[in-house]
Amino acid sequence: MNDTTINAAIAYIHELFQGNSGGHDAAHSLRVYCSAMRIAEREPDCDRNIVALAALLHDADDHKLFHTQNNANARSFLRQRETDPETIERICQAINSVSFSQNRDRCPDTLEGKIVQDADRLDAIGAIGIARAFAYGGEQGRMLDSSIEHFHEKLLLLKDKMNTEAARQMAESRHRFLEQFLKEYIEETTVRAF
Ligand code: ADP
Ligand code: NI
């Protein structure tokens, strides 16, 4: 793997996500990259270069933030780095199979897509997942309880949807933390006679 390209991708996402906060920012892409590389260590058949670049660029054309077509941001970065066309296609294919909202429950076709999807899902659970859910809800002007609903609709289901064994293991403590948080939240917000 070429470290210069990875460093350039990190610089590119910082530039791209400038001014964004909460759900989708450069820090999210960096965390997804780190988790994806940890999962990749346990998946010897994967192409680590594809995993790394797909993870770093997975939100570069997210429809909620950018009005690009056909992975234009990711492609423009990769072309600048003189990536060969076949590799660009493989990275874009992995990126496009990741999103929960776009693909609902469809499982990615490639191992690299599966790894990046797992890493993205890990970032939606645990302490960071809780922080992101309230940040997202706040951005949309939602009440706290509306973000709590999102826990039940999506977040609590994620641990059983992991594609890889490594991610399933990484999800366990994060899932327990969500449950613990919800229990405490209900306890503290239930109005009782005093
Ligand atoms: P993806 O881009 O992978 O499809 P989303 O854009 O759906 O993911 O979610 C980005 C972040 O915002 C996640 O942490 C997710 O849990 C959170 N989020 C998405 N929808 C809601 C919602 N309705 N309420 C609270 N948080 C949400
Ligand atoms: Ni993401």
Side-chain angles (χ1 to χ4, degrees):
M1 189 180 348
N2 180 344
D3 276 355
T4 327
T5 300
I6 299 299
N7 288 336
I10 293 171
Y12 178 68
I13 58 170
H14 275 106
E15 197 184 302
L16 203 59
F17 290 104
Q18 243 171 39
N20 285 301
S21 60
H24 293 95
D25 55 9
H28 162 66
S29 298
L30 274 180
R31 288 189 302 270
V32 171
Y33 164 61
C34 291
S35 296
M37 296 324 283
R38 273 180 67 192
I39 300 168
E41 270 172 33
R42 306 250 310 265
E43 294 290 340
D45 294 340
C46 77
D47 183 328
R48 290 165 56 85
N49 192 40
I50 303 281
V51 171
L53 289 166
L56 284 167
L57 298 170
H58 83 277
D59 276 338
D61 294 279
D62 187 289
H63 64 279
K64 289 190 269 344
L65 298 172
F66 307 105
H67 301 286
T68 48
Q69 300 284 322
N70 193 25
N71 306 90
N73 286 337
R75 282 177 197 280
S76 122
F77 168 80
L78 293 166
R79 276 196 214 107
Q80 262 175 42
R81 302 296 310 174
E82 293 175 3
T83 315
D84 69 88
E86 194 212 313
T87 306
I88 295 183
E89 288 319 310
R90 290 181 62 202
I91 292 168
C92 290
Q93 189 195 359
I95 290 174
N96 295 337
S97 65
V98 167
S99 167
F100 181 86
S101 43
Q102 273 182 50
N103 297 306
R104 274 284 132 191
D105 273 349
R106 248 198 81 225
C107 175
D109 299 324
T110 63
L111 179 55
E112 292 76 17
K114 289 184 170 101
I115 292 172
V116 179
Q117 184 177 67
D118 280 358
D120 195 31
R121 287 172 166 177
L122 283 171
D123 212 53
I125 57 178
I128 186 64
I130 295 171
R132 290 179 73 217
F134 289 109
Y136 182 96
E139 255 169 17
Q140 307 286 315
R142 299 210 177 117
M143 308 290 281
L144 294 180
D145 280 349
S146 151
S147 296
I148 291 289
E149 269 173 44
H150 182 68
F151 281 59
H152 296 284
E153 286 163 7
K154 173 176 166 185
L155 308 186
L156 290 168
L157 312 178
L158 292 179
K159 120 180 131 56
D160 293 327
K161 292 185 196 289
M162 296 297 170
N163 305 301
T164 63
E165 189 49 40
R168 247 187 302 284
Q169 286 172 12
M170 287 158 79
E172 267 174 33
S173 64
R174 291 177 184 232
H175 182 84
R176 276 198 302 275
F177 193 72
L178 286 187
E179 290 181 326
Q180 199 188 329
F181 171 82
L182 280 175
K183 193 164 165 268
E184 188 81 13
Y185 183 91
I186 292 162
E187 181 76 22
E188 290 174 18
T189 55
T190 304
V191 180
R192 295 196 180 83
F194 46 86

